[in-house]
Amino acid sequence: MTFGVAVIGMGWMGRVHTQAYARVRHHYPDLPAPELIAVADDVPGRAASAARQFGFARSTLDWRELLDDPRIEAVSVTAPNFLHREIGAAVAASGRHLWIEKPVGLSAADARAITGPGQVTVGFNYRHAPAVARARALLADGAIGTVTHARFSFLSDYAASPDDALTWRFERERGGSGVLGDLGSHAVDLIRHLLGEIVSTSAASAILIPQRRRPLGVTSGHERGTGELGAVENEDWVGALLRLGSGARVSLEASRVATGSPNAYGFQIHGTAGALSWDFRRMGELRAGAATIPAGPFSVGPGDGEFGAFQPGAAIPMSYDDLKVVEASLFLRSIADGTPHGPTLADAIRAAEVLEAIADSASTGRNRFVVSN
Ligand SMILES: NC(=O)c1ccc[n+]([C@@H]2O[C@H](COP(=O)([O-])OP(=O)(O)OC[C@H]3O[C@@H](n4cnc5c(N)ncnc54)[C@H](O)[C@@H]3O)[C@@H](O)[C@H]2O)c1
């Protein structure tokens, strides 16, 4: 059985979603086979070139044209954040299934505006790392006792150079928040996934590089700016102290200007009977210190999360792109079963509510409760 898919926004994530569609049946042969029907990108030539490279049947500059194509049953939205609401809402209202990148719009209201009868899967991919799945299982088994406090840091250097271009990511209107929505959203999702709901926060944020040069012409991701100087409108760094529903205390730090620390994402979780820690850069290892688990790092393997769909033996490294193949499988399985698997729109809405509380606390200096509307 085949299943028609389209991709809107052919930058980094557009390519990663497309490659995940192409690979998903290699790892999950029981799922329907995605058929690449159409790709849209508003930069002239980008969608046409992707169609040639990946084998989409058609390409267009205008994503709205895809909504008239009856062959398309599911759509990936991998365009910049400011377009998530308009495109996501139109795709969902058309009855199609939606795989949409985080943070799902610029605000919780944007995420809430997406409604329809289809399934929605959100790009919170760090959940899918087998070591994270193992950590979740160990926590559920009480292997480290009751969690008392934890640290989640999502540090990167993608904007550490003042020469990095002032792209949509640095503008309020098109990016929304800065590193908070970009990397902080992943951290909030992982905290909720592993430790439960976040109820309140005290936070601080900073713009550490206040001006950058605009890109000349269109950009294809992160590149140097050579145009005129413009203001950075959203935060480069954020730190938040969170209180969870369980009573545990968690510190969250996210930075896009952490020089020398590319993609340094991870956590340390402390409980009454031990600790667990994970670093994305050594994705297949979990570190433990508890009476019931061997001390030090151990490698995950078949039986931990989705590892077995990729490799036959422990300690064979998986990749970032593999996490997106897992996510594609959860999306297709949700559609096949009519039951959500993986990160849902409700997760994106709740994450956005937490991000709004963090942003509000950072700007007012007050402790904030996370409010649902
Ligand atoms: N899950 C993750 O780990 C992860 C990683 C990176 C980015 N993201 C998210 O993915 C989204 C895209 O990020 P990216 O890094 O791929 O950005 P990008 O800038 O590389 O790509 C965005 C693409 O969208 C296209 N686009 C812009 N306006 C459009 C329009 N009107 N119609 C069609 N296409 C349009 C651009 O031309 C570009 O090709 C963002 O929401 C970002 O937060 C998620």
Side-chain angles (χ1 to χ4, degrees):
M1 182 187 140
T2 59
F3 194 81
V5 299
V7 176
I8 300 177
M10 201 23 94
W12 177 28
M13 279 305 109
R15 286 191 299 278
V16 173
H17 279 224
T18 304
Q19 287 159 340
Y21 284 130
R23 286 181 51 209
V24 67
R25 284 259 297 192
H26 300 178
H27 300 277
Y28 300 90
D30 61 313
L31 289 172
E35 191 183 350
L36 300 178
I37 304 289
V39 52
D41 197 293
D42 72 337
V43 172
R46 198 170 277 178
S49 148
R52 285 192 297 278
Q53 183 182 356
F54 297 109
F56 288 95
R58 59 180 281 215
S59 64
T60 174
L61 289 166
D62 182 359
W63 60 268
R64 289 172 191 82
E65 288 176 12
L66 305 185
L67 299 180
D68 298 330
D69 191 331
R71 294 172 300 171
I72 298 171
E73 293 167 83
V75 178
S76 276
V77 175
T78 48
N81 303 349
F82 74 100
L83 292 167
H84 291 175
R85 177 179 183 144
E86 184 188 4
I87 304 177
V91 167
S94 77
R96 292 179 172 86
H97 306 287
L98 175 67
W99 180 11
I100 186 165
E101 268 310 324
K102 40 60 58 178
V104 187
L106 306 177
S107 62
D110 278 7
R112 279 187 217 106
I114 296 172
T115 55
Q119 297 291 330
V120 181
T121 298
V122 177
F124 287 130
N125 31 254
Y126 296 105
R127 281 182 182 210
H128 314 316
V132 171
R134 177 71 172 270
R136 192 166 189 246
L138 288 168
L139 289 163
D141 283 351
I144 64 164
T146 303
V147 173
T148 50
H149 60 294
R151 206 166 306 109
F152 282 68
S153 54
F154 270 66
L155 309 180
S156 201
D157 67 346
Y158 68 78
S161 167
D163 297 334
D164 289 321
L166 188 65
T167 61
W168 61 267
R169 285 191 161 74
F170 302 89
E171 295 173 7
R172 283 263 160 220
E173 213 169 278
R174 295 195 298 161
S177 62
V179 75
L180 183 58
D182 195 23
L183 299 180
S185 61
H186 281 300
V188 164
D189 183 66
L190 267 193
I191 293 167
R192 293 185 59 247
H193 185 61
L194 291 170
L195 303 178
E197 284 303 348
I198 297 163
V199 294
S200 67
T201 180
S202 277
S205 66
I207 295 175
L208 299 171
I209 301 179
Q211 288 191 312
R212 295 176 183 274
R213 292 198 178 276
R214 295 189 188 283
L216 281 183
V218 296
T219 63
S220 57
H222 305 292
E223 47 206 61
R224 309 230 131 195
T226 47
E228 64 185 29
L229 274 174
V232 171
E233 295 171 350
N234 51 30
E235 73 293 334
D236 292 321
W237 171 88
V238 63
L241 300 175
L242 308 172
R243 187 183 178 114
L244 306 194
S246 66
R249 309 301 174 114
V250 177
S251 71
L252 177 162
E253 183 182 14
S255 174
R256 61 188 178 191
V257 296
T259 310
S261 301
N263 303 307
Y265 310 148
F267 55 75
Q268 293 98 41
I269 301 173
H270 302 277
T272 49
L276 287 174
S277 66
W278 178 71
D279 181 338
F280 165 69
R281 294 167 298 178
R282 302 181 70 85
M283 188 164 77
E285 283 182 8
L286 193 62
R287 250 170 213 279
T292 52
I293 322 169
F298 61 91
S299 298
V300 293
D304 292 319
E306 296 298 308
F307 190 98
F310 292 82
Q311 300 296 348
I316 302 173
M318 281 174 62
S319 72
Y320 173 86
D321 284 14
D322 291 339
L323 302 184
K324 280 303 200 201
V325 174
V326 173
E327 202 163 270
S329 80
L330 295 168
F331 180 47
L332 294 179
R333 201 169 298 289
S334 306
I335 296 167
D337 289 1
T339 314
H341 298 276
T344 60
L345 189 59
D347 290 315
I349 292 170
R350 185 64 187 178
E353 288 166 352
V354 173
L355 299 181
E356 284 177 359
I358 292 174
D360 192 38
S361 174
S363 68
T364 60
R366 300 231 166 105
N367 189 56
R368 285 287 181 234
F369 286 94
V370 181
V371 178
S372 300
N373 282 310

